[in-house]
Structures are given as C-alpha cells and as structure tokens.
Amino acid sequence: GLLSVTVLCGDGMQADFLSTYLFIAGEDAVREHLNETDYSVIAVTEEREVLLSDDLKERFSLTEDAGCTLAE
C-alpha cells in the first residue's frame, strides 16, 4: 500500500534500513513510527496520501501539481 518511504536521521545506514523495513512492513507500521524521536518519516500511500512525522509538518509543503494530500 505504499509508493515511497523516506527516513531522515543522522545515520545513513539506519535511514536506509528503516526506510526499507517500513516500506515492506506497510502503512500501519509507518503510522506507528511517525512520532519516533530518533528519526523522521515521510511516506506516500497508493492513494497519494502523504504520511509525515509531526516534527516535519511545519517545514513540509506540497506543490499544487504534486497530486497528493497530507494525512491528518
């Protein structure tokens, strides 16, 4: 159910592992990890809904042509 998962953190290997893990684990796992304190997550569902960690919401915006909506 996911098109993309991006993890932001200070360790590139951890970010790569977590993004792969969350992509395979699916949308429910991403939702469970959105408020971790060690890393941030951006994911796009097949419905083009953007799931975003709370710490990124003030710094993230979608352009009009993105074709996506931010999850509540």
Side-chain angles (χ1 to χ4, degrees):
L2 296 170
L3 297 176
S4 173
V5 176
T6 300
V7 173
L8 305 168
C9 69
D11 182 319
M13 288 181 66
Q14 181 184 16
D16 183 48
F17 168 79
L18 287 168
S19 63
T20 302
Y21 164 76
L22 292 171
F23 186 81
I24 292 168
E27 184 177 338
D28 289 339
V30 167
R31 289 182 183 276
E32 290 175 15
H33 288 258
L34 285 178
N35 295 311
E36 292 293 329
T37 57
D38 294 337
Y39 55 89
S40 302
V41 179
I42 303 169
V44 181
T45 69
E46 288 180 342
E47 294 80 26
R48 303 217 184 279
E49 181 180 40
V50 178
L51 306 173
L52 193 63
S53 292
D54 285 341
D55 64 323
L56 296 175
K57 288 184 178 178
E58 290 185 19
R59 300 180 283 164
F60 185 88
S61 63
L62 292 171
T63 61
E64 288 182 25
D65 60 337
C68 297
T69 58
L70 284 176
E72 296 294 319

